[in-house]
Amino acid sequence: MSGSDLFPEEEDRPAGPVPDSAALLEEGRRFQRETGIPPLLGHRPRFLPWVLLAALLMLVSLGIEIFWPLPGRHGPLPVCGQGAVETVSCQKPAAVPSAR
Protein backbone atom coordinates (compact mmCIF):
# COMPACT_ATOMS: atom_id res chain seq x y z
CA MET A 1 0.00 0.00 0.00
CA SER A 2 1.68 3.20 -1.10
CA GLY A 3 1.37 6.64 0.48
CA SER A 4 -0.86 7.88 -2.33
CA ASP A 5 -3.42 5.14 -1.53
CA LEU A 6 -3.89 6.46 2.02
CA PHE A 7 -5.15 9.86 0.85
CA PRO A 8 -6.92 9.50 -2.52
CA GLU A 9 -7.90 13.16 -2.68
CA GLU A 10 -5.17 15.77 -2.54
CA GLU A 11 -7.09 18.07 -0.14
CA ASP A 12 -7.26 15.36 2.56
CA ARG A 13 -3.50 14.89 2.60
CA PRO A 14 -1.77 16.64 5.52
CA ALA A 15 0.60 19.44 4.54
CA GLY A 16 3.51 18.01 6.52
CA PRO A 17 4.35 15.65 9.31
CA VAL A 18 2.28 16.05 12.44
CA PRO A 19 4.77 16.73 15.24
CA ASP A 20 2.68 15.58 18.17
CA SER A 21 -0.59 13.95 19.08
CA ALA A 22 -2.17 17.21 20.35
CA ALA A 23 -2.04 18.68 16.85
CA LEU A 24 -3.52 15.49 15.43
CA LEU A 25 -6.37 15.55 17.94
CA GLU A 26 -7.04 19.23 17.22
CA GLU A 27 -7.17 18.46 13.52
CA GLY A 28 -9.74 15.74 14.22
CA ARG A 29 -11.86 18.13 16.32
CA ARG A 30 -11.72 20.74 13.56
CA PHE A 31 -12.87 18.16 11.01
CA GLN A 32 -15.70 17.18 13.37
CA ARG A 33 -16.86 20.80 13.67
CA GLU A 34 -16.64 21.43 9.91
CA THR A 35 -18.64 18.35 8.94
CA GLY A 36 -21.24 18.71 11.72
CA ILE A 37 -20.43 15.50 13.57
CA PRO A 38 -21.56 15.91 17.20
CA PRO A 39 -18.89 15.32 19.85
CA LEU A 40 -19.08 12.12 21.86
CA LEU A 41 -20.90 12.54 25.12
CA GLY A 42 -18.39 11.19 27.60
CA HIS A 43 -18.73 10.98 31.34
CA ARG A 44 -16.29 10.64 34.19
CA PRO A 45 -15.62 7.11 35.38
CA ARG A 46 -17.89 5.99 38.18
CA PHE A 47 -15.95 4.34 40.99
CA LEU A 48 -18.76 4.35 43.57
CA PRO A 49 -20.27 0.98 42.48
CA TRP A 50 -16.83 -0.65 42.68
CA VAL A 51 -16.16 0.87 46.10
CA LEU A 52 -19.54 -0.37 47.35
CA LEU A 53 -18.88 -3.85 45.95
CA ALA A 54 -15.45 -3.98 47.60
CA ALA A 55 -16.90 -2.85 50.94
CA LEU A 56 -19.69 -5.43 50.69
CA LEU A 57 -17.22 -8.23 49.96
CA MET A 58 -15.03 -7.15 52.88
CA LEU A 59 -18.03 -7.13 55.24
CA VAL A 60 -19.10 -10.59 54.07
CA SER A 61 -15.56 -11.89 54.59
CA LEU A 62 -15.38 -10.34 58.04
CA GLY A 63 -18.80 -11.74 58.95
CA ILE A 64 -17.76 -15.24 57.89
CA GLU A 65 -14.57 -14.94 59.91
CA ILE A 66 -16.37 -13.77 63.05
CA PHE A 67 -19.66 -15.69 62.96
CA TRP A 68 -18.54 -18.89 61.20
CA PRO A 69 -15.02 -19.61 62.43
CA LEU A 70 -13.08 -22.60 61.24
CA PRO A 71 -12.94 -25.44 63.77
CA GLY A 72 -9.15 -25.61 63.80
CA ARG A 73 -8.82 -22.12 65.25
CA HIS A 74 -10.01 -23.18 68.72
CA GLY A 75 -7.84 -26.24 69.10
CA PRO A 76 -8.26 -29.76 67.78
CA LEU A 77 -11.65 -31.42 67.60
CA PRO A 78 -12.51 -33.71 70.54
CA VAL A 79 -12.20 -37.45 70.07
CA CYS A 80 -15.53 -39.11 69.27
CA GLY A 81 -17.18 -40.69 72.30
CA GLN A 82 -15.15 -38.70 74.85
CA GLY A 83 -16.68 -35.28 74.39
CA ALA A 84 -19.90 -33.84 75.64
CA VAL A 85 -23.20 -35.03 74.22
CA GLU A 86 -23.88 -31.75 72.42
CA THR A 87 -20.69 -31.99 70.34
CA VAL A 88 -21.51 -31.74 66.66
CA SER A 89 -18.04 -32.45 65.27
CA CYS A 90 -15.48 -34.96 66.48
CA GLN A 91 -12.50 -36.86 65.15
CA LYS A 92 -12.01 -40.59 65.08
CA PRO A 93 -8.79 -41.76 66.67
CA ALA A 94 -6.18 -42.89 64.18
CA ALA A 95 -5.85 -46.63 63.94
CA VAL A 96 -2.46 -47.78 65.20
CA PRO A 97 -0.87 -50.19 62.71
CA SER A 98 0.07 -53.47 64.31
CA ALA A 99 3.71 -54.49 64.36
CA ARG A 100 4.59 -57.82 62.79
Side-chain angles (χ1 to χ4, degrees), residues 3 6 10 13 16 25 27 44 54 65 67 71 73 76 94-95 98-99:
L6 293 175
E10 191 64 33
R13 185 181 300 236
L25 290 173
E27 183 181 342
R44 296 180 60 198
E65 187 69 28
F67 298 112
R73 293 261 175 116
S98 61

Side-chain angles (χ1 to χ4, degrees), residues 29-92:
R29 287 187 199 104
R30 180 183 53 81
F31 176 76
Q32 235 179 343
R33 285 190 302 270
E34 289 174 359
T35 55
I37 299 172
L40 294 176
L41 300 175
H43 63 286
R44 296 180 60 198
R46 296 183 184 126
F47 292 108
L48 185 61
W50 296 108
V51 169
L52 293 176
L53 178 65
L56 177 69
L57 290 174
M58 286 174 48
L59 289 174
V60 166
S61 175
L62 187 63
I64 288 173
E65 187 69 28
I66 292 172
F67 298 112
W68 190 15
L70 296 174
R73 293 261 175 116
H74 304 290
L77 291 173
V79 178
C80 291
Q82 294 180 357
V85 177
E86 65 271 355
T87 302
V88 176
S89 299
C90 63
Q91 63 179 345
K92 293 181 181 177

